[in-house]
């Protein structure tokens, strides 16, 4: 009852779209995994890639991983850019729609006239967004766990679990940041632009801070740096993931506080 | 709290960040069991008042209460006893009517299911089609059901009958009257006196963010000027009408005389006119805007 209805609503309304996200994401992951056997047998590809300019390798996380191992291949092809992009797009899309988008469409006016605290509503919506991210990440995890032995990827399961957790936290941070921006100011545009800009900046800093020394002091604001590159090859550090989780919780907490402090807009 | 008025505002003011004074020092009191029509032209501050009461926007000064619960500090408690219907209810497009009402019922934490079904039938709601396929009127009917289905103590209805066909409007008016007869309170905003005059006990008139007048419907109607056009069989002298109390001659051309007259003067107007042969007589109620102007004139004169 009460505010949990916003969580129910978010998950039910999004169930259909979420199935497409999960099926599409899983299909892409499966396709990439299925190509591995033909890469494995061609070490010259790895050589070719290692000749790329340093900046490019660093940005795409190709430096320091071996493309002919399953972990290095999946890191490069999926975990270093494509999957974070996928999960963050889902997260920002949902985080901005569920509050700022609904407000812009005038659909918060009636539910917010019910005896429910705004902050509880926003937290419930945040949990809904988290549920969506969890579903997509679970689908990715399951596909890789099942296909790893079949296509000879030999992914270490602990690293895979850590990598997917890092992925989910990247989504969570940007999704809840989007909710926070939407809570601070009305309008979906900013609720998309600010977390998207934060993600792009974080990605660039995370990829280039070692090469461009002047970026190095800023690495702490990069969520990608905290999660770490090539998680299947290198593993993830739990403590650093907890930092990202803490930042996410701060973003959601800020959303809950900020939504109480302003006037709601009607179109 | 038991003897607190249904709705009360004290010095309620709202200035938006762009400097617009939407509401200035509003003192309003709505008693329990009353239907109050809240009248004003578009942009007068009606919705601003309502949105302050719902705690959707925050007043820049003053305060409000519903059943004695402060609308800022005890907002959730206040809204527990409240049913709200906006003029153009924006619902969840993808849901069916039934799913939307289910969702609202859960959000409320439970409603009177028997009452809900009764209202659904009474307003002939379309329940099994997605809301995006429904007409404005059919959406508004769902809005009416959600506002009444938990038997709230106080109803706040913001221009509720837009988009409804006349039959449904009648049904809605009947529901509002039953609600008041049940010792519950209806706060009904509208820009049309027609819409509220058959339901409301009293009418509050707001313009430019200021409450101009609160009066009973009957006395408002008495004060409201009519436009009277009398077509005589032959040219007449209009000065006989000008000397009647409250009557103003707007114009006279040959056999046609146009007047403005309050309801109280109508008897005298007709009797004066009856001294001549009449071809036709038309009396039209003044629209609300003219009543406002009349009220303004009175207010200015009193200062």
């Amino acid at each position: 009852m009460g505010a949990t209805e916003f969580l129910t609503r978010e998950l039910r309304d999004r169930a259909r779209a979420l199935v497409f996200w999960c099926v599409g994401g899983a299909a892409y992951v499966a396709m990439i995994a299925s190509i591995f056997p033909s890469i494995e047998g061609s070490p010259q590809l790895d050589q070719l890639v290692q000749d790329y300019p340093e900046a490019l390798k660093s940005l795409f996380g190709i430096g320091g991983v071996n493309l002919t191992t399953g972990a290095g291949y999946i890191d490069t092809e999926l975990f270093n850019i494509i999957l974070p992009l996928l999960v963050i797009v889902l997260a920002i899309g949902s985080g901005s729609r569920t509050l700022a988008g609904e407000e812009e469409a005038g659909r918060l006016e009636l539910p917010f006239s019910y005896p429910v605290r705004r902050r509880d509503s926003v937290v419930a919506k945040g949990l809904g967004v988290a549920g969506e991210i969890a579903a997509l990440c679970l689908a990715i995890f399951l596909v890789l766990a099942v296909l790893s032995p079949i296509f000879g990827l030999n992914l270490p399961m602990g690293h895979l679990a850590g990598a997917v957790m890092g992925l989910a936290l990247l989504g969570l941070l940007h999704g809840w940041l989007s909710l926070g921006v939407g809570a601070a100011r009305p309008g979906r545009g900013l609720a998309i632009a600010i977390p998207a800009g934060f993600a792009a900046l974080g990605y660039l800093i995370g990829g280039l801070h070692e090469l461009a020394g002047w970026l190095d002091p800023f690495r702490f604001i990069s969520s990608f740096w905290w999660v770490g590159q090539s998680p299947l090859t290198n593993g993830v550090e739990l403590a650093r993931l907890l930092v990202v989780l803490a930042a996410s919780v701060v973003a959601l907490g800020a959303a809950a506080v900020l939504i109480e402090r302003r006037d709601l807009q009607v179109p | 709290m038991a003897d607190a008025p249904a709705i009360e505002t004290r010095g309620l003011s709202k200035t938006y960040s762009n400097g617009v004074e939407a509401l200035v020092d509003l003192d309003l009191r709505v008693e329990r069991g009353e239907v109050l029509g809240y009248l004003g032209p578009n942009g007068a501050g009606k919705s601003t008042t309502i949105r302050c009461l719902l705690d959707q926007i925050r007043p820049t000064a003053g305060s409000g209460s519903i059943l004695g619960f402060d609308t800022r500090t005890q907002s959730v408690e206040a809204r527990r006893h409240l049913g709200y219907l906006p003029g153009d209810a924006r619902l969840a497009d993808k849901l069916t009517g039934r799913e939307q009402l289910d969702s609202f019922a859960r959000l409320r934490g439970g409603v009177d299911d028997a009452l809900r079904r009764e209202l659904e039938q009474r307003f002939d709601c379309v329940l099994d089609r997605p809301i995006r396929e429904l007409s404005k009127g059919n959406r508004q009917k769902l809005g009416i059901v959600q506002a009444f289905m938990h038997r709230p103590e106080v109803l706040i209805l913001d221009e509720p009958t837009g988009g409804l066909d006349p039959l449904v409007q009648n049904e809605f008016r009947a529901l509002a009257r039953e609600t008041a007869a049940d010792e519950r309170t209806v706060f009904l905003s509208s820009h049309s006196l027609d819409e509220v005059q058959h339901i409301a006990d009293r009418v509050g008139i707001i313009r430019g963010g200021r409450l101009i007048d609160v009066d009973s419907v009957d006395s408002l109607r008495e004060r409201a000027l009519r436009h009277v056009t009398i077509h005589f069989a032959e040219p007449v002298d209009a000065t006989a009408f000008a000397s009647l109390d409250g009557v103003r001659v707007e114009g006279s051309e040959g056999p046609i005389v146009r007047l403005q007259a309050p309801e109280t003067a109508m008897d005298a107007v007709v009797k004066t006119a009856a001294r001549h042969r009449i071809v036709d007589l038309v009396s039209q109620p003044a629209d609300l805007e003219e009543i406002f102007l009349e009220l303004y004139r009175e207010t200015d004169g009193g200062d």
Side-chain angles (χ1 to χ4, degrees), chain A residues 53 60 65 67 74 76 91 101 137 142 159 206 234 239 259-260 263:
Chain A
F60 293 109
V65 301
L67 263 180
I74 296 295
T76 309
C137 288
L142 289 176
H159 282 191
N234 304 327
I259 193 68
E260 294 281 1
D263 290 353

Side-chain angles (χ1 to χ4, degrees), chain A residues 1-2 5-6 9 12 105-107 109-110 112-118 260 262-264 266-267, chain B residues 14 51 55-58 76 79-80 84 86 90-95 103-104 106-109 146:
Chain A
M1 62 151 276
E5 175 60 15
F6 284 107
R9 201 56 298 133
R12 283 201 195 165
R107 282 196 293 263
E109 188 186 7
L110 205 40
F112 276 26
S113 76
Y114 277 63
V116 176
R117 282 191 194 292
R118 287 189 200 176
E260 294 281 1
R262 70 168 171 90
D263 290 353
L264 291 181
V266 281
Chain B
K14 177 66 182 179
R51 299 183 70 231
D55 194 35
Q56 298 205 335
I57 59 177
R58 274 63 192 269
V76 173
R79 281 180 275 147
R80 204 177 299 288
Y84 171 53
R90 308 282 179 105
L91 303 169
D93 293 341
K94 288 182 194 165
L95 301 185
S103 176
F104 278 134
R106 287 191 298 267
L107 191 59
R108 177 71 63 188
Q146 66 78 33

Side-chain angles (χ1 to χ4, degrees), chain A residues 21-246:
Chain A
W21 275 89
C22 290
V23 169
Y28 184 78
V29 168
M31 186 191 78
I32 294 295
S34 70
I35 299 169
F36 179 65
S38 55
I39 304 285
E40 193 181 18
S42 41
Q44 56 279 35
L45 181 72
D46 195 42
Q47 193 52 53
L48 181 74
V49 168
Q50 295 310 332
D51 289 340
Y52 280 2
E54 281 303 315
L56 217 57
K57 284 199 292 182
S58 189
L59 195 57
F60 293 109
I62 323 176
V65 301
N66 188 343
L67 263 180
T68 56
T69 67
Y73 171 74
I74 296 295
D75 271 341
T76 309
E77 292 294 332
L78 293 175
F79 278 95
N80 283 345
I81 181 160
I82 293 296
L83 291 183
L85 191 67
L86 189 72
V87 174
I88 287 173
V89 167
L90 171 75
I92 295 178
S94 289
S96 62
R97 181 187 327 95
T98 189
L99 187 64
E102 290 288 284
E103 183 177 11
E104 234 167 33
R107 282 196 293 263
L108 286 188
E109 188 186 7
L110 205 40
F112 276 26
S113 76
Y114 277 63
V116 176
R117 282 191 194 292
R118 287 189 200 176
R119 56 169 173 269
D120 295 347
S121 313
V122 166
V123 170
K125 281 173 176 288
L127 294 178
V129 172
E132 290 174 57
I133 294 166
L136 177 60
C137 288
L138 188 66
I140 290 166
F141 175 80
L142 289 176
V143 171
L144 283 173
V146 168
L147 294 184
S148 172
I150 295 174
F151 293 115
L153 291 161
N154 296 320
L155 304 176
M157 279 303 133
H159 282 191
L160 177 60
V164 172
M165 226 185 301
L167 192 63
L169 286 170
L170 277 178
L172 196 66
L173 176 62
H174 292 91
W176 285 359
L177 187 62
S178 177
L179 211 53
V181 175
R185 286 183 59 97
R188 194 172 178 202
L190 269 187
I192 293 175
I194 289 181
F198 182 70
L201 194 69
Y203 184 75
L204 287 175
I205 293 174
L208 296 176
H209 74 98
E210 280 170 357
L211 285 180
W214 65 273
L215 277 177
D216 207 43
F218 299 108
R219 64 186 185 277
F220 299 104
I221 64 162
S222 163
S223 50
F224 289 84
W225 179 79
W226 285 100
V227 170
Q229 260 190 354
S230 304
L232 290 175
T233 305
N234 304 327
V236 292
E237 281 178 53
L238 198 58
R240 292 174 65 156
L241 292 190
L242 286 176
V243 171
V244 181
L245 178 63

Side-chain angles (χ1 to χ4, degrees), chain B residues 1 4-10 32 50 52-55 64-71 74-75 77-82 153-156:
Chain B
M1 300 263 170
I7 297 171
E8 189 173 23
T9 70
R10 289 167 299 269
R32 294 190 190 208
I50 289 174
C52 281
L53 292 173
L54 296 171
D55 194 35
S65 66
I66 292 171
L67 301 170
F69 296 108
D70 186 88
T71 55
Q74 297 166 298
S75 164
E77 199 50 45
R79 281 180 275 147
R80 204 177 299 288
H81 304 281
L82 193 77
E153 285 295 305
V154 178
L155 280 132
I156 295 186

